[in-house]
Amino acid sequence: QVQLVESGGGLVQAGGSLRLSCVASGRTFSSYAMGWFRQAPGKEREFVAAISWNGFSTYYADDVKGRFTISRDNAKNTVYLQMNSLKAEDTAVYYCASSAALGRVRSTPEYWGQGTQVTVSS
């Protein structure tokens, strides 16, 4: 299986920025599409962003467009989520995910990380 480990979460004030990282191991990272999801207490897990295996195609949820940027460095087996202009409603546990297909990573990914907490104060 693919092992995914997230890092970079923390506490930030509204309007600030954070960069999340996800390091993958166990499979050939460059062949997998990658994505980010988030889940707040009492809410459903929701899609945030996804990126194709070669990094040339990216997709974002409507409420993060223009604020978040997903990227990847296949040489480092790492995917990033740069989060700018953070809002209180961005507070959630953020999960890294992967799939062999880009379409699937945007809906039902095959592999998940354990998550990292992001808290945005008002």
Side-chain angles (χ1 to χ4, degrees), residues 39-80:
Q39 187 170 22
K43 297 183 179 180
E44 299 290 332
R45 187 172 298 187
E46 64 178 1
F47 169 76
V48 176
I51 188 167
S52 62
W53 70 270
N54 58 12
F56 293 163
S57 298
T58 57
Y59 299 88
Y60 299 93
D62 288 342
D63 56 357
V64 306
K65 287 181 179 177
R67 300 189 298 120
F68 291 9
T69 302
I70 188 171
S71 62
R72 67 190 296 162
D73 185 340
N74 288 350
K76 298 180 179 179
N77 292 340
T78 302
V79 63
Y80 305 95

Side-chain angles (χ1 to χ4, degrees), residues 17-102:
S17 299
L18 283 174
R19 189 178 77 161
L20 306 183
S21 299
C22 174
V23 179
S25 62
R27 297 287 183 88
T28 302
F29 173 76
S30 61
S31 67
Y32 278 77
M34 302 294 296
W36 290 94
F37 289 72
R38 65 187 182 185
Q39 187 170 22
K43 297 183 179 180
E44 299 290 332
R45 187 172 298 187
E46 64 178 1
F47 169 76
V48 176
I51 188 167
S52 62
W53 70 270
N54 58 12
F56 293 163
S57 298
T58 57
Y59 299 88
Y60 299 93
D62 288 342
D63 56 357
V64 306
K65 287 181 179 177
R67 300 189 298 120
F68 291 9
T69 302
I70 188 171
S71 62
R72 67 190 296 162
D73 185 340
N74 288 350
K76 298 180 179 179
N77 292 340
T78 302
V79 63
Y80 305 95
L81 185 68
Q82 178 67 46
M83 305 184 293
N84 299 327
S85 302
L86 283 162
K87 307 173 182 178
E89 51 263 43
D90 294 319
T91 295
V93 176
Y94 283 70
Y95 296 90
C96 179
S98 68
S99 177
L102 179 60

Side-chain angles (χ1 to χ4, degrees), residues 3-21:
Q3 184 74 38
L4 304 173
V5 181
E6 304 98 331
S7 63
L11 175 65
V12 64
Q13 294 185 12
S17 299
L18 283 174
R19 189 178 77 161
L20 306 183
S21 299

